[in-house]
Amino acid sequence: MHNMNKVKMLSFKQNGDDRGHLVVIEGNKDVPFDIKRIFYIYGSDPNVIRGQHANRETEFVLVNVAGKSKVKVYDGKGNEAIFILNRPHTGIYLPTMVWKDMYDFSEDSVLLVLASEAYNPNEYIRNYDEFVEEIAKEED
Ligand code: TYD
């Protein structure tokens, strides 16, 4: 199975009442991993492309808790897909070993990222050709 089949949109329950909305994301329940790290991206110019890497070890869930952005995912075997993140109760699950670009950030975009591992720059692949080579090796 190529990794693109593991990418999926997640829908979180909105606990709404007349005071507003509240969304809960619990590790190993609402997302398919234990959450070890969170970070969020905001103030990105609409023309920038962020991400541009694959991760050997970390799985992610991305949620635009405000505003919107797009994520383009590549599996290194010629398959690619674009996802629009524009709801605070919807996320995208990204498994290990997919290449991702985040772009088209709205001015008010706050992109929340949940990660399965602590930060380790050594598990990032930042060269696309190297990513494709590693994916090809996995086939062997
Ligand atoms: P980078 O991986 O380039 O962000 P993006 O995936 O959005 O393109 O990270 C930007 C900077 O932040 C870089 O200097 C590394 C640092 N960083 C950490 O120190 N810890 C982290 O958990 C992350 C995601 C980034």
Side-chain angles (χ1 to χ4, degrees), residues 46-65:
N47 298 319
V48 302
I49 302 176
R50 300 198 60 118
Q52 301 198 284
H53 49 62
N55 294 75
R56 295 187 183 91
E57 293 168 8
T58 307
E59 300 162 74
F60 297 96
V61 167
L62 279 57
V63 182
N64 252 107
V65 292

Side-chain angles (χ1 to χ4, degrees), residues 8-12 61-63 85 87 89-93:
K8 59 180 179 208
M9 292 299 294
L10 303 176
S11 190
F12 308 114
V61 167
L62 279 57
V63 182
L85 299 174
R87 293 188 187 95
H89 56 92
T90 302
I92 183 167
Y93 167 73

Side-chain angles (χ1 to χ4, degrees), residues 96-110:
T96 60
M97 291 305 278
V98 291
W99 187 269
K100 53 262 184 191
D101 293 344
M102 292 92 85
Y103 62 104
D104 266 2
F105 295 93
S106 64
E107 233 175 69
D108 58 347
S109 171
V110 181

Side-chain angles (χ1 to χ4, degrees), residues 3 17 27 39 43 46 50 85 88 108 112-113 121 126 139:
N3 291 333
D17 57 30
F39 55 95
R50 300 198 60 118
L85 299 174
D108 58 347
L112 174 69
V113 182
R126 292 187 179 272
E139 297 262 280

Side-chain angles (χ1 to χ4, degrees), residues 13 18 27 39 51 68 100 122 129 138:
K13 184 168 180 279
D18 53 10
F39 55 95
K68 57 187 171 191
K100 53 262 184 191
N122 298 327
D129 293 338
E138 281 181 1

